[in-house]
Amino acid sequence: ARGAEGNQMGESEDGGGDEGRLSATQPRVDREFRGRGVAEALLDELAAYARDGGMKIVPVCSYVQAAFRRSPKKYQDVAAPQ
C-alpha cells in the first residue's frame, strides 16, 4: 500500500496454498503508519482480490484470524472453512 505521496506504508503477501485458496500471512505496516488502519486496508484488498478470483482466504496469522472473528459478515464470503 502506498500513501498519497507515493511512499510505501505496508505490504501483505500470499503465503501460497492450494489452488483456489490464499494463505494470508501477517500484513507488515511501516512503523510510522501503524494504528491508522493500513493493515485492515491491506486485508480488504486481499479480500477483494480473492472475491474477483473466486478464491478463499486461509487466515494463517493472528491478525487475519482476529479480523475474521471481529467482522464475520465482512469476510464470510472469502473465509476458507477451518
Side-chain angles (χ1 to χ4, degrees):
R2 297 202 177 272
E5 295 82 35
N7 52 332
Q8 185 168 337
M9 298 185 308
E11 65 183 347
S12 181
E13 59 186 48
D14 164 26
D18 298 330
E19 189 169 323
R21 292 166 65 99
L22 301 170
S23 297
T25 60
Q26 186 73 35
R28 288 183 292 280
V29 177
D30 287 356
R31 197 172 295 258
E32 66 182 288
F33 297 107
R34 290 184 183 160
R36 298 184 188 181
V38 174
E40 183 178 11
L42 290 168
L43 179 55
D44 289 347
E45 286 295 317
L46 182 62
Y49 177 78
R51 285 182 188 103
D52 289 346
M55 295 178 274
K56 298 292 184 183
I57 298 173
V58 178
V60 175
C61 77
S62 59
Y63 176 83
V64 177
Q65 292 167 359
F68 279 18
R69 281 191 307 272
R70 211 174 28 251
S71 304
K73 290 182 181 179
K74 185 176 183 179
Y75 301 112
Q76 68 185 359
D77 61 324
V78 293
Q82 296 294 307

